[in-house]
């Protein structure tokens, strides 16, 4: 039987028997038990009543968190000429075309968000097997295939979060840091849950949001009352 450290045991005891909490109570519990030596991310996991294998049940979208993510997002942009210059001026970390494609094909992916101008998609399309599994493939539905590269870069750096349902119908994302004020974390959480609620696909039947859970990077998870998370 595995032995757990004192910190893990204490955290589990603090969370024991606590579930279906309000957003505020869940945030308070997580913040008070985040004991790692770094600023942990507050993570949200949502179990949805969908089967993403069916096109009419896919859930994906993007949401701008009102208080940002607290994370330094590295952005890559596929663009040429003036659009490449705009991306660099907006703060993009990596900008290129065929040269960037070769870097990615070589397995060097040092970015968290990928943006492309429409004319670059024939090049980016070759990277589908590399970028797709990492949820980095540019997509016009979430604003990452666009001619407005400057705005896209600024949004990505300013707290915009993409979400996409995985095979089991689970959506997860980071919604802030434990160092954030509790009310700011709660606001971010409700913004994220609200965006997922609005993204309900036409093919979803029955209960759409089955479970919402929160945790810190190194801490246990706690379930949140779905209705409380959706409405303020």
């Amino acid at each position: 039987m595995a032995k757990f450290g004192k910190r893990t045991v204490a955290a589990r005891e603090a969370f024991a028997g606590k579930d279906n909490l309000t957003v505020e109570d869940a945030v308070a519990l997580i913040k008070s038990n985040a004991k790692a030596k770094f600023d942990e991310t507050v993570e949200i996991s949502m179990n949805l009543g969908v089967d993403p294998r069916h096109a009419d049940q896919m859930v994906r979208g993007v949401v701008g968190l009102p208080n940002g993510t607290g994370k330094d997002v590295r952005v890559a942009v596929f663009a040429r000429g003036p659009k490449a210059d705009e991306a660099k001026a907006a703060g993009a970390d990596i900008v290129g075309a065929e040269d960037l494609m070769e870097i990615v094909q070589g397995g060097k992916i040092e970015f968290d968000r990928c943006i492309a101008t429409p004319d670059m998609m024939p090049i980016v399309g070759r990277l589908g097997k590399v970028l797709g599994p990492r949820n980095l493939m540019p997509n016009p539905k979430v604003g990452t295939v666009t001619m407005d590269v400057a705005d896209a870069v600024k949004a990505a750096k300013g707290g915009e979060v993409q979400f996409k349902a995985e095979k089991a119908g689970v959506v997860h994302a980071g919604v802030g840091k434990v160092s954030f004020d509790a009310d700011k974390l709660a606001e971010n959480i409700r913004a994220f849950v609200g965006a997922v609620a609005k993204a309900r696909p036409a093919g979803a039947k029955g209960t759409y949001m089955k479970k919402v859970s929160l945790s810190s990077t190194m801490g246990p998870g706690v379930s949140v009352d779905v209705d409380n998370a959706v409405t303020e």
Side-chain angles (χ1 to χ4, degrees):
M1 185 174 178
K3 292 184 178 179
F4 299 104
K6 292 181 179 179
R7 183 184 300 171
T8 301
V9 171
R12 290 192 173 198
E13 289 177 350
F15 281 69
K18 296 178 180 178
D19 53 41
N20 214 34
L21 304 181
T22 65
V23 171
E24 287 74 16
D25 286 346
V27 166
L29 183 63
I30 290 168
K31 281 176 66 66
S32 64
N33 286 278
K35 306 297 185 182
K37 294 181 180 179
F38 62 94
D39 193 5
E40 297 179 58
T41 295
V42 175
E43 301 173 357
I44 187 169
S45 178
M46 301 177 66
N47 293 69
L48 307 178
V50 298
D51 184 349
R53 292 175 297 179
H54 300 288
D56 66 345
Q57 294 187 49
M58 170 51 71
V59 177
R60 73 182 308 157
V62 62
V63 55
L65 298 182
N67 302 295
T69 63
K71 179 181 179 181
D72 182 16
V73 179
R74 300 166 299 173
V75 179
V77 178
F78 282 88
R80 287 195 182 98
K83 289 299 174 182
D85 294 337
E86 287 179 24
K88 292 175 183 177
D93 299 274
I94 310 169
V95 181
E98 286 85 359
D99 55 336
L100 180 52
M101 177 188 72
E102 292 176 1
I103 291 172
V104 174
Q105 286 178 328
K108 190 175 182 181
I109 302 176
E110 297 181 338
F111 51 87
D112 309 296
R113 182 72 61 86
C114 187
I115 296 165
T117 53
D119 59 300
M120 288 285 100
M121 288 312 292
I123 291 175
V124 180
R126 303 178 201 174
L127 303 173
K129 291 183 179 180
V130 180
L131 298 178
R134 295 174 171 82
N135 199 25
L136 289 172
M137 192 68 181
N139 189 310
K141 293 182 179 179
V142 293
T144 48
V145 177
T146 176
M147 290 300 289
D148 296 325
V149 291
D151 286 345
V153 169
K154 291 175 183 176
K157 293 237 174 222
E160 189 177 74
V161 174
Q162 293 182 13
F163 57 85
K164 180 181 178 181
E166 299 176 349
K167 290 182 180 179
V170 176
V171 168
H172 62 83
V175 290
K177 296 288 186 178
V178 294
S179 61
F180 282 20
D181 290 342
D183 58 341
K184 291 184 177 180
L185 279 172
E187 191 177 6
N188 277 1
I189 291 164
R190 287 199 168 95
F192 186 87
V193 173
V196 175
K198 291 178 181 176
R200 176 172 181 153
K205 306 297 181 183
T207 302
Y208 175 50
M209 290 192 183
K210 292 185 173 181
K211 185 177 181 180
V212 177
S213 299
L214 296 173
S215 67
S216 63
T217 304
M218 304 298 291
V222 60
S223 63
V224 175
D225 180 82
V226 175
D227 291 335
N228 180 265
V230 174
T231 58
E232 295 189 47

